[in-house]
Amino acid sequence: PRDTRILYGSVVNGSLWRSADAGQTWLQLGPPQVDGKAIKFGAFRALVFLPDGIDAFLYASQYGLARTLDGGQNWTLLQLVTRPNTVAITGLAIDAKNSQHLSYVAGSAFYRSADAGRTWETLRMPSSRIPTSLATDPGDGNILYLGFTKPKKK
């Protein structure tokens, strides 16, 4: 958000909170409505702000990606390649200069869209390790940073 007093927070159970007074008071957002039906946020994964909106962001959960352009009052679910609740989205990024360019990582695959999530391209990960974070270079949206961790030994 452009107003530094506006804060957003989420907890593991998926509840999303907003403060308009730098954290003095909090309002729980949701449940989000899409086409008049409540959707579950699910387990929180990532929150990434769109560069061209004041209170516009994407919220990633176990159920997928939801977009709001008005601080959580209205939501749109993005159609993903992965089915809801089948893989954990572990990284989400938006090009700082072009909000049409979205990327996310889940499982062993990398997904990117050049049309704000209407269509997706799937790429294999460059490593057998588990992706844990994803970021776009703020100066060059063609550069992505991807963090990995080693799988836990059984």
Side-chain angles (χ1 to χ4, degrees):
R2 292 187 182 122
D3 184 340
T4 58
R5 295 170 297 164
I6 297 175
L7 305 172
Y8 289 91
S10 185
V11 293
V12 175
N13 73 2
S15 60
L16 182 61
W17 298 79
R18 182 181 193 270
S19 173
D21 56 11
Q24 296 298 312
T25 60
W26 291 87
L27 173 68
Q28 185 173 5
L29 300 178
Q33 302 281 322
V34 174
D35 297 329
K37 297 179 184 176
I39 60 168
K40 294 180 181 180
F41 272 132
F44 170 74
R45 303 290 186 216
L47 182 72
V48 179
F49 288 90
L50 297 169
D52 48 3
I54 294 173
D55 276 337
F57 56 88
L58 292 177
Y59 183 93
S61 76
Q62 71 194 53
Y63 294 103
L65 292 177
R67 177 179 41 232
T68 182
L69 302 175
D70 57 13
Q73 299 302 309
N74 296 288
W75 294 88
T76 303
L77 288 178
L78 299 184
Q79 185 69 39
L80 303 181
V81 175
T82 53
R83 289 191 331 246
N85 222 16
T86 59
V87 295
I89 294 173
T90 54
L92 174 64
I94 300 173
D95 183 336
K97 294 182 179 179
N98 185 346
S99 63
Q100 297 289 304
H101 295 174
L102 312 176
S103 303
Y104 76 95
V105 290
S108 62
F110 171 84
Y111 305 90
R112 67 181 173 194
S113 173
D115 57 12
R118 285 185 284 285
T119 60
W120 295 92
E121 178 184 10
T122 305
L123 302 167
R124 298 289 306 158
M125 285 291 174
S127 171
S128 61
R129 295 181 180 214
I130 299 169
T132 57
S133 59
L134 180 65
T136 305
D137 187 290
D140 184 348
N142 293 313
I143 299 173
L144 294 170
Y145 302 100
L146 183 59
F148 292 93
T149 190
K150 287 183 181 180
K152 293 182 180 180
K153 294 183 179 181
K154 295 181 181 184

